[in-house]
Amino acid sequence: MKLTFLGTGTSQGVPVIGCRCVVCCSKDPRNKRLRTAAMVEVQGVRIVIDAGPDFRYQMLRTGVRHIDAILLTHEHKDHIGGLDDVRAFNFVDYPEKIHRIPIYGADHTLSTVRRDFAYAFVEGRPRYRGVPEMELVEVDTNLPFEVKGIEILPVVGGHARFRVTGYRLGGLAYLTDFKSIASEEIEKLRGVEVLVVNALRKRPHDSHFSLAEALDLIREVRPQRAYITHQSHDMGLYADLERELPEGVFSAYDGLEIEINDTI
């Protein structure tokens, strides 16, 4: 299994527009972060997690021409704002075949997708040619589901007043925008080889894990490796953070690819 970090930044990305802090002005490419998203490739199946405003550029950077599904963690714009660009994958081989892209998510997430991209779901009359062809698949967050034979286990957390869905695929668990997680959801993470978890900054935040809170979860789950994502410029420089992190914990950066034992 291969995990590619498509983006590791917050809703504003890094650099932040107009900011002149040391992180935003850094020349180190690891300090330049698009909105958080990832891509998992396992047993010939390619799954993207979240499609925010940078989705188009993220896909261009990878060079891929086909994806099998998109998993959505929640409905905030930095995680769904790029869904219109799935139409590039719909029509990559047009006119021979139109590839509808399955979009998986919790009920509240998909209801926002239907509202925000209403033009893609018009019924009863011909639709505008070229709208994104999306098949919305509602996930019961209490139960595992499959994407082309790949079993995926939802992991639910709290994101201030919102629910957010993480995902476990075999030896990988991917959590972003978590602020809280119940003990029964932590049990779903036991035995993972790699845990990816968000940490917005070092100081506490009302809707995202701080670095200390993310490290607390990592210590409880005890993965072989852990990666921090969804970082703001307040987290500091990549090189400084890497020196501060405990053994086996790493700061993720855009474009990072890691291999995970295929335990699915």
Side-chain angles (χ1 to χ4, degrees):
M1 181 193 303
K2 183 170 78 170
L3 171 67
T4 302
F5 289 92
L6 302 174
T8 57
T10 64
S11 58
Q12 296 185 90
V14 183
V16 176
I17 293 173
C19 184
R20 294 295 179 264
C21 75
V22 65
V23 178
C24 289
C25 293
S26 171
K27 301 301 184 184
D28 186 339
R30 296 171 299 183
N31 289 317
K32 300 186 185 303
R33 303 179 182 277
L34 300 177
R35 269 60 77 93
T36 291
M39 182 170 67
V40 181
E41 297 169 275
V42 55
Q43 298 179 12
V45 179
R46 183 179 289 130
I47 299 170
V48 170
I49 305 177
D50 284 333
D54 298 317
F55 176 68
R56 172 183 174 273
Y57 182 51
Q58 289 165 340
M59 293 293 95
L60 287 171
R61 290 203 303 190
T62 66
V64 302
R65 300 183 71 249
H66 171 83
I67 60 175
D68 291 294
I70 297 175
L71 311 181
L72 298 179
T73 60
H74 63 298
E75 59 267 37
H76 287 164
K77 271 297 188 291
D78 55 318
H79 295 264
I80 70 167
L83 282 173
D84 183 81
D85 285 312
V86 303
R87 58 193 169 133
F89 293 108
N90 297 151
F91 302 112
V92 68
D93 297 319
Y94 190 84
E96 287 79 9
K97 186 176 181 180
I98 296 176
H99 307 281
R100 298 190 77 199
I101 304 299
I103 311 293
Y104 293 79
D107 54 356
H108 53 92
T109 300
L110 297 187
S111 66
T112 300
V113 173
R114 288 189 189 93
R115 183 194 68 205
D116 290 4
F117 298 92
Y119 58 89
F121 303 101
V122 172
E123 297 179 358
R125 60 182 174 84
R127 293 190 298 168
Y128 181 78
R129 181 178 177 181
V131 299
E133 296 282 350
M134 298 182 280
E135 177 187 357
L136 301 187
V137 184
E138 186 175 317
V139 169
D140 183 338
T141 55
N142 296 308
L143 299 172
F145 61 97
E146 288 191 357
V147 174
K148 288 200 165 183
I150 304 302
E151 183 173 283
I152 302 172
L153 179 65
V155 181
V156 179
H159 180 33
R161 295 174 289 114
F162 300 87
R163 286 181 293 136
V164 62
T165 307
Y167 297 99
R168 178 171 181 173
L169 297 85
L172 166 68
Y174 183 94
L175 314 179
T176 189
D177 288 53
F178 275 54
K179 174 60 179 179
S180 62
I181 181 169
S183 57
E184 59 267 24
E185 298 299 310
I186 293 176
E187 289 304 310
K188 296 178 180 179
L189 305 175
R190 301 295 183 194
V192 295
E193 177 185 342
V194 171
L195 173 63
V196 178
V197 61
N198 63 283
L200 186 77
R201 62 191 191 191
K202 295 175 182 176
R203 294 177 290 117
H205 189 271
D206 61 358
S207 61
H208 299 78
F209 280 153
S210 66
L211 179 58
E213 290 168 328
L215 292 176
D216 284 344
L217 179 62
I218 292 167
R219 278 190 288 268
E220 184 162 2
V221 174
R222 299 176 65 185
Q224 295 178 31
R225 291 175 285 160
Y227 292 83
I228 303 297
T229 193
H230 203 281
Q231 299 180 41
S232 76
H233 60 167
D234 292 326
M235 187 68 87
L237 293 167
Y238 173 90
D240 293 341
L241 179 59
E242 274 286 279
R243 287 191 290 267
E244 298 171 14
L245 292 174
E247 183 178 358
V249 181
F250 308 93
S251 175
Y253 56 86
D254 290 20
L256 174 64
E257 298 179 356
I258 61 173
E259 295 290 336
I260 303 162
N261 288 331
D262 188 354
T263 56
I264 293 178

